[in-house]
Amino acid sequence: LPTFQEGYRFSHSRNGYIKRFCDTLWHDYFKWTVDSMPGSPSQAMVQIRAQYFALPWNEVYDLIEFVLPKTSGSHNLDSSTQLVNEVLESELSAYRIVAGRVVPISSEQEAQAVEKAIEQTRGPYSNSAEHLQQAVNLLARKPVPDFRNSIKESISAVEAISAVITGD
């Protein structure tokens, strides 16, 4: 995140980005009323930080999923994902960001394989890509991933590719 000017109010021109970010968190994620947001970035960040540390473990990952695409405005989403994955790896987390979702994958190779499979199935194999994305979504369910249906969606992805290849 870009730094904000300490001591300045949200109305200060250099704090526009952090104001929009806080508005989004306040209203769209925490479901707090926007008029309850403090007038300064530092006060808002204190409240957001307190809420973050009060979240159950699985909701921390939900917050990461929510925030990640919103914070990549100044740089590439892939590089943001890579940075988050590096932190998850360094903290020995059993989770990684794959296709925009936090999933129980503990190695970078697994995450890259899933990302590559989804990317390679776009276009003529779009049905397969949809099944793979749904498999990731089911795997990302927290606190209990839906492994059974994720596997079914993965098998459906293979069937969809087979149907395209064979013309059946």
Side-chain angles (χ1 to χ4, degrees):
L1 289 174
T3 59
F4 55 86
Q5 296 297 306
E6 203 61 52
Y8 287 103
R9 308 220 29 96
F10 277 124
S11 59
H12 189 273
S13 61
R14 296 188 67 185
N15 291 330
Y17 178 82
I18 195 75
K19 167 83 166 97
R20 286 187 301 278
F21 177 73
C22 287
D23 282 345
T24 301
L25 270 180
W26 230 257
H27 184 263
D28 297 337
Y29 187 78
F30 292 121
K31 307 298 185 201
W32 298 333
T33 59
V34 176
D35 65 349
S36 67
M37 188 168 55
S40 77
S42 57
Q43 292 170 340
M45 295 310 282
V46 165
Q47 283 188 252
I48 290 169
R49 187 176 193 278
Q51 183 66 24
Y52 170 82
F53 283 109
L55 291 173
W57 72 268
N58 56 304
E59 290 182 28
V60 170
Y61 289 129
D62 292 340
L63 180 60
I64 290 170
E65 286 177 355
F66 179 82
V67 168
L68 190 61
K70 291 166 179 44
T71 59
S72 61
S74 61
H75 53 282
N76 184 313
L77 181 59
D78 291 337
S79 65
S80 296
T81 300
Q82 182 179 353
L83 289 172
V84 171
N85 279 335
E86 287 173 7
V87 171
L88 292 172
E89 183 178 2
S90 72
E91 294 296 322
L92 303 177
S93 173
Y95 291 81
R96 297 292 182 276
I97 308 286
V98 176
R101 302 297 306 267
V102 178
V103 295
I105 291 178
S106 58
S107 83
E108 187 61 30
Q109 293 80 12
E110 291 174 11
Q112 288 175 355
V114 174
E115 290 275 2
K116 185 176 179 182
I118 291 172
E119 187 59 38
Q120 289 181 337
T121 55
R122 301 214 190 281
Y125 308 110
S126 62
N127 284 343
S128 183
E130 290 173 23
H131 286 294
L132 289 174
Q133 184 63 55
Q134 183 60 24
V136 168
N137 292 342
L138 292 165
L139 197 58
R141 286 194 179 163
K142 293 171 268 328
V144 180
D146 189 349
F147 294 114
R148 171 179 244 166
N149 286 319
S150 179
I151 291 167
K152 288 179 184 178
E153 287 292 336
S154 299
I155 292 169
S156 294
V158 173
E159 290 174 344
I161 286 180
S162 298
V164 171
I165 292 171
T166 64
D168 250 347

